[in-house]
Amino acid sequence: MIAVDLSEPDDFEAWRSEARRLVAQGAAPDAVAWTDGDGSADLFAVPAAVSRSEPREVRASRAFMDLARSAILHADAGRLALLYRVLWRLQDQPRLLDDAADRDVAALERLAKQVRRDIHKMRAFVRFRSVTDEDGERFVAWFEPEHRIERYNADFFVNRFASQRWSILTPRLSLHWDGMALLEGPAAARGDAPSEDATEELWLEYYRSTFNPARLKVGMMVKEMPRRYWKNLPEARQIPDLIAGAHKREAAMIATGASLFEDAPPTSLKAIAEGIAQCRRCAIGCNGTNAVMGEGSRHAGLMIVGEQPGDTEEREARPFVGPAGQLLDRALGEAGVDREAAYVTNAVKHFKFVPRGKRRLHQTPTAGEIDICRWWLDGERALVKPKVILALGASGARGLLGRTPSINKERGHALAQADGTTVWLTAHPSYLLRLDGEAREREHARFADDLAGLARMLSNT
Ligand code: URA
């Protein structure tokens, strides 16, 4: 028996890398004992070791990854083994997920659904109470999720209440936002949270802002929040007014969206550097990290756009200087593209992460965050006026194109843009760093091909 202990039970990336390694080594599901970092490991199991046999390529569809990302948050201790069994079976049955009658598939779907429902419930039913501490007002909520969804939902609350100081206490852990950074604390008890609140203002404001008039469906609202509970919910007092004003509010929301950035576009790279340092237009900008400005020639013919600075980039306040940057430099050099002559930047200017002990784990920015930060990327584009732009990965591409393309479908083609530039897509080097075995070799070769295509295009422009 091979023992695999997941020290953080909701750490999908850790599960994924263990599972990939085990499948690649040919470790059958019944030979693997998964545990949750709770010391419940099988006494007769041995720690996972590196096998000497030829590793096999590991395949996992996006649909599986999406289901697995939710299902791993389920409280059921059997979920890790189930996930592994499905991943294992997918290697020989790539269409397995289409078989809804399959027991494993049905179980996986059920777990993922229950988790998604719990995620939604937490977003809808967290109730903040106002307290005053030595730094002023803080909003505190007690919530008991059924599944391990607290960290997953943290971003949602940071985005909602970026400018407030708040804590969400749960029986598993606590989340604290101080307006700049998200910190994790230990498990809490119900008594740690205040039970009475003088104002409920934050909650009422939250409710007003999450009440999307464009999606008003009274029947659904009643199902989600049955009328018999309304009398106990402060926000329910707002429902009649909100319904009555729905259409007016919808028009106002459209108008606000259109005028999100009314200031004039920046007129110099220096202005952009100063602007991003102060930018608080999304939650990432509020997390207290260094903004990372693009760097390179002001008249570069080639612009390279990544996703967002990573841990090393944030510390050094320079783009692509960590492991992904080193891989990129090597590959550009091999393709004959001179990084020094290019302008290198990111779609998002701050580092989005979740703290895990001393580590800061990268988190992918949302489409909304990329769209907000496009203001700065567009400014760099307008000032540098590159002829060709290399987009690394889907986030970089979204920053440039305003839509999230399929990198697989659109990579290696010249995409002509309205401003006369040509965008060239390829994978993100961090993606290559996560691969191993045959997939790693194959993807490195594709990356090299894409960069060779870019070099050919540059020599013709
Ligand atoms: N990944 C990116 O997308 N950008 C960087 O600057 C570093 C890593």
Side-chain angles (χ1 to χ4, degrees):
M1 205 34 116
I2 302 170
V4 189
D5 191 40
L6 209 62
S7 61
E8 296 288 355
D10 57 352
D11 190 346
F12 177 72
E13 293 305 327
W15 176 84
R16 177 160 105 150
S17 87
E18 289 294 344
R20 288 183 73 90
R21 197 163 56 82
L22 290 165
V23 172
Q25 290 177 3
D30 53 9
V32 182
W34 292 90
T35 51
D36 260 345
D38 57 2
S40 64
D42 181 338
L43 283 180
F44 299 102
V46 293
V50 179
S51 141
R52 283 177 217 290
S53 60
E54 199 54 34
R56 66 167 166 166
E57 187 187 348
V58 181
R59 272 181 300 197
S61 62
R62 177 176 289 255
F64 170 73
M65 297 301 272
D66 288 347
L67 276 175
R69 258 195 197 89
S70 298
I72 199 164
L73 305 179
H74 203 282
D76 188 327
R79 77 205 181 288
L80 299 176
L82 172 67
L83 284 171
Y84 185 66
R85 203 161 52 243
V86 175
L87 177 64
W88 175 265
R89 294 181 59 201
L90 276 171
Q91 306 310 304
D92 297 323
Q93 296 167 257
R95 306 196 63 87
L96 174 63
L97 291 189
D98 295 343
D99 182 2
D102 182 273
R103 274 183 62 187
D104 285 342
V105 173
L108 184 59
E109 296 270 9
R110 192 173 58 249
L111 296 193
K113 189 168 167 196
Q114 287 167 355
V115 166
R116 284 195 295 264
R117 192 160 177 74
D118 207 31
I119 288 170
H120 168 72
K121 283 260 146 66
M122 179 171 176
R123 293 177 180 191
F125 293 119
V126 157
R127 300 290 190 281
F128 286 102
R129 312 274 166 180
S130 167
V131 295
T132 306
D133 62 22
E134 59 279 14
D135 296 320
E137 189 172 35
R138 170 174 284 277
F139 294 92
V140 183
W142 167 252
F143 193 73
E144 289 180 65
E146 280 179 53
H147 306 293
R148 300 175 173 98
I149 56 167
E150 304 89 336
R151 289 177 179 139
Y152 182 93
N153 261 344
D155 245 17
F156 171 85
F157 288 98
V158 168
N159 277 317
R160 273 284 170 241
F161 303 125
S163 59
Q164 315 279 352
R165 296 166 62 245
W166 53 258
S167 298
I168 300 176
L169 312 182
T170 81
R172 247 187 307 266
L173 54 89
S174 44
L175 299 167
H176 307 281
W177 174 250
D178 65 3
M180 304 280 269
L182 183 68
L183 300 171
E184 199 175 299
R190 182 189 290 275
D192 297 333
S195 55
E196 290 300 326
D197 172 32
T199 68
E200 308 261 28
E201 246 328 292
L202 180 72
W203 167 247
L204 292 176
E205 191 49 48
Y206 166 53
Y207 188 69
R208 267 184 229 120
S209 67
T210 53
F211 188 94
N212 182 346
R215 298 179 58 198
L216 179 58
K217 285 197 192 114
V218 176
M220 181 59 85
M221 258 170 60
V222 173
K223 187 169 143 232
E224 289 295 320
M225 195 196 280
R227 271 178 209 277
R228 66 179 181 279
Y229 297 139
W230 286 18
K231 66 179 184 322
N232 299 323
L233 297 173
E235 68 276 18
R237 292 195 294 273
Q238 307 226 351
I239 290 174
D241 286 352
L242 287 166
I243 293 175
H247 294 300
K248 228 161 62 199
R249 277 169 37 83
E250 183 177 8
M253 273 172 66
I254 292 165
T256 316
S259 63
L260 199 54
F261 295 114
E262 269 167 358
D263 36 351
T267 52
S268 68
L269 292 177
K270 184 164 169 280
I272 296 181
E274 287 165 4
I276 60 173
Q278 291 163 20
C279 186
R280 302 290 179 264
R281 282 164 168 160
C282 77
I284 320 180
C286 299
N287 72 7
T289 55
N290 286 313
V292 178
M293 179 62 187
E295 68 176 23
S297 164
R298 157 83 171 74
H299 304 290
L302 171 66
M303 182 181 259
I304 299 176
V305 180
E307 179 188 77
Q308 62 172 355
D311 185 75
T312 316
E313 285 78 13
E314 191 274 329
R315 287 182 211 285
E316 297 191 22
R318 293 184 57 206
F320 280 108
V321 288
Q326 285 155 21
L327 192 157
L328 175 66
D329 287 355
R330 253 195 326 275
L332 286 173
E334 282 163 14
V337 178
D338 181 8
R339 168 172 171 167
E340 295 303 312
Y343 181 89
V344 181
T345 192
N346 283 301
V348 169
K349 307 301 185 204
H350 284 86
F351 174 35
K352 180 172 180 181
F353 67 94
V354 274
R356 283 289 156 80
K358 289 193 183 134
R359 290 188 305 147
R360 302 191 295 177
L361 296 190
H362 161 274
Q363 280 207 307
T364 305
T366 62
E369 287 157 350
I370 296 170
D371 293 347
I372 289 174
C373 220
R374 187 176 302 111
W375 172 254
W376 303 116
L377 182 61
D378 278 353
E380 289 173 292
R381 269 175 92 167
L383 291 162
V384 177
K385 299 193 179 61
K387 288 203 170 66
V388 176
I389 312 182
L390 171 66
L392 299 169
S395 298
R398 184 178 180 94
L400 292 163
L401 305 175
R403 63 184 171 86
T404 306
S406 156
I407 297 295
N408 264 340
K409 287 200 188 120
E410 300 190 46
R411 67 192 297 170
H413 298 293
L415 304 173
Q417 302 300 296
D419 65 356
T421 57
T422 300
V423 169
W424 189 262
L425 304 189
T426 187
H428 195 286
S430 300
Y431 164 67
L432 303 184
L433 288 173
R434 289 196 298 271
L435 300 174
D436 41 35
E438 203 181 304
R440 181 185 164 87
E441 269 172 42
R442 187 189 57 230
E443 289 304 315
H444 272 262
R446 289 180 83 191
F447 191 58
D449 281 351
D450 290 346
L451 295 187
L454 171 76
R456 279 195 298 277
M457 192 172 54
L458 287 171
S459 65
N460 293 331
T461 50

